[in-house]
Amino acid sequence: MMDKKMNRRTFVKKSAKATTALAGLTLMPGLLSVPALAAEGTPDISVVTGTDFYKATIQAVENLGGMGRFVSKGDNVGLLANIFSKKPGTYTRPDVMLAVAHLCYEAGAEQVYCMKNEGKRYWRRSQVSEQHAELIARLKPDGSDHKEVQIPGAKVLKDPAILEGTFKHDKLISIPIIKNHSGVQMTCTLKNMMGLTSFGTNIKFHLGEKYVQTLVKELGNFFSDMDHFSQSVADLNKVRKVDLYVVDATEFITTNGPTGPGKMSRPNQIVAGTDPVAIDSFCCAYLDLEPEKIGMIVKAQQDGLGKMDLTNLNISKSTI
Amino acid sequence: MAVNRIVVLLTFIFLFGLLAAAQAEDKAASGLIWILPDAGDIKTLKPEDSAQQAKKDGLYDLINGGASVYLSNGFKQAILQDYRSATGTLFNLEVYELDSTVNAKKVFALKGGDSAKPSVIGQSSILEDYYGLFLQGSYYISITASETTKESQELIKQIAKATIKKIQTKGPNPPAKK
C-alpha cells in the first residue's frame, strides 16, 4: 500500500509540469478530452459494484489511480452533482458526493465547493450523512452568480449564463446520476453540465434563437429541436475541463425522466473516468440505448470531446 | 328600527366581505400550504423541513430540467414537502396546480403514461411499488417513498387521501354542502 502511495506521489510530481502546460490550453475544444496523465495500466473507466455506495465510490476513484491524480494540495474544488430532483432514482446519492468530497480533502484540497446546494434537505436523504457531519460542515456552497460567457468553439450556444464559480475553482468534478430523460433519452456526464447554467440559458438549449422571439408560445414544443439541444450540450462541455467524472449508477429511473417517478433499475454501480463521451457511451447500456443514436454523444465526439468507441478502452470492473 | 336593522345587516355584510377578502389574501400569500395534510392527519408521519414552493419560472430553481413538462402545460404553482415515517422511510409529496383540469389531465397522462385507472383515491391514480400519482381537478399529485414496503405503500395512499380531501374541501369551487 505504501509503495502504491509513493508511486502515485512520484507520478504526480513528474506529471505536474506536463499538466501545467496543458492547463493553458484547456479552453481549446480539441484538447478538452485530454485526461489527467495516468500511470500505465490505469483503466480508462472504472466500474465498481457494491451496496455500500460510499465505499464503492472510493474504490472507483482508487482504481483510476486515486484522487491525487486529479486534485493537488491547496486546490479549490467544485463538485457538480445532480441534487434537485427529490424522488428516488433521480438524484446523485449523498453517499457518492460525500465519498468524492472526502477524497478531495484527503488529497489536500484547500476547500471543496458544492456547485449546487440544498443544504440539509439534500444530505438528509442518506443515513450515511449523519456519520459524515464534520465533512458536510467543511463543504461550502459555491454561491456564485451566473455570468454570460462566450465559449470558444461553440457552434450554437451563444452567450450562455454560467455560474462564475465554474471558472474560479482549480478543479471541477462532475458527479451525475445516469437516468432516463424524456427529451434526450438520457442524462449523464455531458448533460450534467447544464447544472452550471441559468434557467434562461436552459430555455435556449430547448428553443435556440426562437427564445428571443416567443418564449411562452414555444414552450409547448420544448423538445422540438433535439439537434439544437444536442449541439448546445456539446458546446457547453467546451466551457472548461472537467477533471473527473463519477457517475451514480446505483439506482435510477429508466422511464419518465428526468424527475420521475418511473420504473427503477438498481445495478448498484459507480462509474468513474475522465472522458465524458466514453462514459456516456458506456452508460447507454444501463438504459438499453445505443450511443450512436444519442445526438449529444455523437456531436460531442465530432467536436473532439472524447471517444465513443469503447473497444480499445481499458474498462476495469470490480465488486466490493 | 328598520333603519337600524339595515345598518346592522350592511355592517355585517361589510365585515364578512372584509374577512373573506383577508382570508383569500392569506391563502394567496401562503400559496399551496393549505393543501398539505394537517399535523396528526397521518400519525406516523412527521414533516421533514419546511415545505418548498414555486410559481412560474421559479419551478426551475426547485426541480431543474423536470420543470419543462409543467411550464409547457399551464403551470401555476407547486408545493413540495418531505415526510419521515417512524421507521425512517422518507416520503416526498409534490402537488402541482395547473391552469385548468385539461392541462392537469395532460400532465398526469404525460407522467403516468396510459396505465391510469379509475380510482377511489382522486379522479385517476396510478399506484406502483414505491410511488403513487393522482389527479384531482386542476392538481397533479406525486408521492414517492424511499423504501418499498407494505407500510410505505399504505402511507402513500393515506397521504394521497389526506391531500385530496383538502382539495375537495378547501380548494377552488368546493362542492356545495348538502
Side-chain angles (χ1 to χ4, degrees):
Chain A
M1 190 65 187
M2 181 62 80
D3 286 340
K4 200 176 172 186
K5 278 185 179 172
M6 288 293 284
N7 287 341
R8 210 173 290 144
R9 284 198 190 107
T10 310
F11 154 73
V12 169
K13 279 180 186 171
K14 282 184 177 176
S15 61
K17 284 184 183 174
T19 307
T20 306
L22 283 171
L25 300 174
T26 51
L27 279 178
M28 295 180 70
L31 291 176
L32 278 169
S33 61
V34 175
L37 296 177
E40 198 174 334
T42 302
D44 299 296
I45 295 176
S46 161
V47 185
V48 177
T49 307
T51 50
D52 184 329
F53 310 124
Y54 185 90
K55 284 184 182 167
T57 304
I58 301 272
Q59 189 61 52
V61 178
E62 280 297 312
N63 291 350
L64 292 177
M67 191 59 88
R69 180 182 155 200
F70 309 102
V71 172
S72 304
K73 197 176 176 191
D75 275 350
N76 286 316
V77 185
L79 303 184
L80 176 62
N82 190 331
I83 67 167
F84 281 111
S85 296
K86 291 166 178 63
K87 302 180 186 82
T90 64
Y91 57 83
T92 306
R93 283 184 189 274
D95 316 43
V96 181
M97 179 103 154
L98 286 169
V100 173
H102 165 76
L103 289 172
C104 288
Y105 279 123
E106 198 179 55
E110 174 72 23
Q111 181 62 55
V112 178
Y113 293 90
C114 300
M115 303 304 292
K116 308 294 263 186
N117 181 55
E118 259 221 319
K120 63 182 178 182
R121 284 181 196 277
Y122 174 65
W123 302 117
R124 277 184 183 176
R125 293 181 214 166
S126 169
Q127 291 174 348
V128 171
S129 298
E130 284 179 22
Q131 300 162 30
H132 298 279
E134 277 184 35
L135 175 60
I136 291 170
R138 286 183 75 186
L139 301 175
K140 279 187 182 172
D142 171 71
S144 62
D145 293 326
H146 291 98
K147 167 188 158 187
E148 282 198 1
V149 298
Q150 288 186 332
I151 300 177
K155 292 176 178 169
V156 300
L157 189 59
K158 307 261 173 67
D159 307 324
I162 291 174
L163 286 176
E164 285 183 273
T166 308
F167 311 100
K168 288 179 183 167
H169 304 315
D170 302 302
K171 300 289 162 57
L172 182 64
I173 299 177
S174 175
I175 317 172
I177 180 174
I178 162 81
K179 60 178 172 176
N180 166 265
H181 189 287
S182 53
V184 282
Q185 300 188 67
M186 71 181 292
T187 80
C188 198
T189 64
L190 290 167
K191 194 172 176 305
N192 194 46
M193 292 294 275
M194 285 178 74
L196 297 172
T197 54
S198 67
F199 173 71
T201 294
N202 276 299
I203 295 289
K204 285 184 187 175
F205 273 62
H206 289 276
L207 305 174
E209 291 306 306
K210 291 176 200 167
Y211 167 70
V212 183
Q213 301 155 16
T214 51
L215 170 62
V216 179
K217 281 182 189 172
E218 293 291 339
L219 276 170
N221 300 316
F222 222 60
F223 294 115
S224 61
D225 191 351
M226 280 300 97
D227 195 59
H228 177 89
F229 191 105
S230 300
Q231 185 60 56
S232 296
V233 171
D235 285 349
L236 180 60
N237 277 268
K238 299 165 191 166
V239 75
R240 73 154 282 172
K241 180 178 186 288
V242 174
D243 298 274
L244 173 66
Y245 299 92
V246 181
V247 179
D248 180 351
T250 59
E251 175 188 70
F252 52 84
I253 52 169
T254 59
T255 61
N256 208 11
T259 53
K263 284 182 185 168
M264 196 74 88
S265 178
R266 295 184 178 91
N268 293 325
Q269 293 184 329
I270 302 293
V271 182
T274 55
D275 179 339
V277 180
I279 294 172
D280 278 17
S281 299
F282 176 84
C283 288
C284 276
Y286 289 120
L287 298 171
D288 206 17
L289 298 171
E290 295 171 42
E292 297 78 14
K293 293 180 180 171
I294 308 298
M296 60 188 167
I297 297 179
V298 173
K299 288 181 187 301
Q301 175 176 262
Q302 285 168 355
D303 289 358
L305 292 164
K307 290 178 180 172
M308 289 167 59
D309 185 4
L310 303 175
T311 50
N312 294 320
L313 295 185
N314 177 358
I315 300 174
S316 128
K317 293 184 181 177
S318 59
T319 301
I320 58 160
Chain B
M1 196 64 176
V3 174
N4 282 347
R5 279 183 186 166
I6 290 168
V7 169
V8 168
L9 186 65
L10 285 175
T11 307
F12 178 76
I13 290 169
F14 176 70
L15 289 174
F16 182 78
L18 276 181
L19 186 67
Q23 280 178 340
E25 207 169 281
D26 280 352
K27 198 168 170 180
S30 61
L32 288 174
I33 286 284
W34 59 270
I35 221 166
L36 298 177
D38 289 327
D41 273 358
I42 306 158
K43 286 175 185 167
T44 53
L45 286 185
K46 283 186 178 169
E48 185 106 325
D49 299 316
S50 54
Q52 292 176 288
Q53 299 201 62
K55 290 184 178 182
K56 300 292 175 186
D57 291 358
L59 187 62
Y60 178 78
D61 293 327
L62 210 54
I63 61 170
N64 272 11
S68 58
V69 170
Y70 306 100
L71 292 173
S72 55
N73 284 291
F75 173 72
K76 282 178 78 177
Q77 55 182 334
I79 188 163
L80 283 64
Q81 175 71 60
D82 285 345
Y83 297 91
R84 182 84 67 178
S85 75
T87 56
T89 303
L90 192 61
F91 292 84
N92 170 242
L93 165 65
E94 299 186 2
V95 184
Y96 296 86
E97 183 182 5
L98 291 310
D99 64 358
S100 67
T101 52
V102 172
N103 274 331
K105 274 184 191 170
K106 211 190 269 184
V107 168
F108 181 79
L110 282 168
K111 302 299 282 183
D114 53 6
S115 55
K117 294 168 188 156
S119 171
V120 289
I121 309 174
Q123 291 163 332
S124 283
S125 69
I126 295 166
L127 280 164
E128 295 291 344
D129 52 359
Y130 76 96
Y131 70 88
L133 306 179
F134 307 89
L135 176 71
Q136 182 66 38
S138 55
Y139 298 90
Y140 161 73
I141 302 160
S142 155
I143 305 167
T144 58
S146 62
E147 306 289 336
T148 303
T149 62
K150 280 189 178 176
E151 184 216 19
S152 65
Q153 289 170 334
E154 184 52 39
L155 282 169
I156 286 173
K157 290 181 199 170
Q158 287 188 36
I159 297 169
K161 282 177 184 170
T163 308
I164 287 165
K165 192 177 170 188
K166 284 294 197 73
I167 295 171
Q168 288 171 328
T169 55
K170 295 191 173 182
N173 304 317
K177 286 182 183 174
K178 289 177 183 174

